[in-house]
Amino acid sequence: MAFELPALPYAKDALEPHISANTLDFHHGKHHNSYVVNLNGMIADSDMAADSLEDIIHKVAGDAGKAGVFNNAAQIWNHTFYWHSMKPNGGGKPTGAIAAKIDEDFGSYDAFVEAFKAAGATQFGSGWAWLVLDNGKLKVEKTGNAELPMTKGQTALLTMDVWEHAYYLDFQNRRPDYIATFLNELVNWDFANENLANA
Ligand code: MN3
């Protein structure tokens, strides 16, 4: 059972003018797709051929000899989660349960924003910024390369890709502008509320 590239949850130009169709063409159509093609090639004749993506990630996490499988499997999961972490006309302050929980665990929405911006801006090189649930408490985390919260027992609620390929065509080297745009114009709090409800 080979993995397939999941469709974007919106049209390729739906996040314009913030993230261009050109960026999504490369990011989804080339980068995300190549993780799918690579993983399928690596597991085809292995004992993982029938496993779910999550099972593969848990099986090979921390195994240096299986780093290629981990990186490609985790990057498939991370990117699918990232597409859903954004929506057209998103951004701004959350509503619902996540809004109350952010006030409770960070003190205020502004304190969350400061922590999330710092995580994204200080992730050296490639990686991800996350809002996670960890033992019942919200936290902001950053991870390098393909690393993700599930291997640390945390539940991901939102993610932002800070690999250069996520923003370079639209923002060039201005990662802080991309991060601010993600928070102000794109973040999908409905998705975070769904993930919190299911946690
Ligand atoms: Mn990416």
Side-chain angles (χ1 to χ4, degrees):
M1 185 193 73
F3 290 102
E4 285 179 18
L5 177 67
L8 287 172
Y10 31 71
K12 218 180 280 176
D13 62 357
L15 303 182
E16 290 190 344
H18 311 296
I19 290 182
S20 63
N22 193 27
T23 288
L24 290 186
D25 221 17
F26 278 96
H27 200 178
H28 176 256
K30 306 285 186 203
H31 291 276
H32 196 178
N33 189 58
S34 71
Y35 299 127
V36 173
V37 171
N38 290 343
L39 182 67
N40 284 335
M42 288 172 176
I43 63 167
D45 297 314
S46 80
D47 60 351
M48 292 181 278
D51 286 346
S52 72
L53 198 55
E54 288 81 359
D55 284 347
I56 292 171
I57 291 167
H58 284 298
K59 259 187 200 176
V60 301
D63 181 345
K66 300 264 170 60
V69 173
F70 175 81
N71 286 334
N72 284 284
Q75 284 293 77
I76 295 173
W77 195 96
N78 291 344
H79 282 86
T80 303
F81 199 80
Y82 170 63
W83 307 134
H84 288 274
S85 293
M86 301 184 286
K87 66 172 188 177
N89 304 310
K93 283 192 173 183
T95 56
I98 196 81
K101 187 99 179 104
I102 282 174
D103 285 343
E104 191 183 314
D105 292 344
F106 292 98
S108 67
Y109 171 70
D110 290 344
F112 156 75
V113 165
E114 203 174 310
F116 194 82
K117 281 183 172 175
T122 61
Q123 172 53 42
F124 184 76
S126 297
W128 301 82
W130 303 84
L131 176 63
V132 304
L133 191 67
D134 185 351
N135 281 318
K137 230 176 137 59
L138 295 182
K139 284 185 186 165
V140 165
E141 295 276 316
K142 57 182 176 177
T143 62
N145 299 318
E147 294 290 336
L148 71 178
M150 76 169 77
T151 59
K152 293 184 282 183
Q154 299 169 327
T155 303
L157 303 180
L158 276 179
T159 195
M160 176 177 66
D161 192 342
V162 294
W163 286 57
E164 279 188 346
H165 65 226
Y167 59 87
Y168 213 85
L169 295 175
D170 298 318
F171 297 89
Q172 291 75 52
N173 63 326
R174 293 175 283 114
R175 190 192 284 190
D177 291 354
Y178 159 70
I179 295 171
T181 299
F182 178 91
L183 286 166
N184 295 333
E185 311 289 349
L186 297 169
V187 67
N188 182 356
W189 289 115
D190 300 335
F191 183 59
N193 268 314
E194 271 172 46
N195 293 325
L196 181 61
N198 295 332

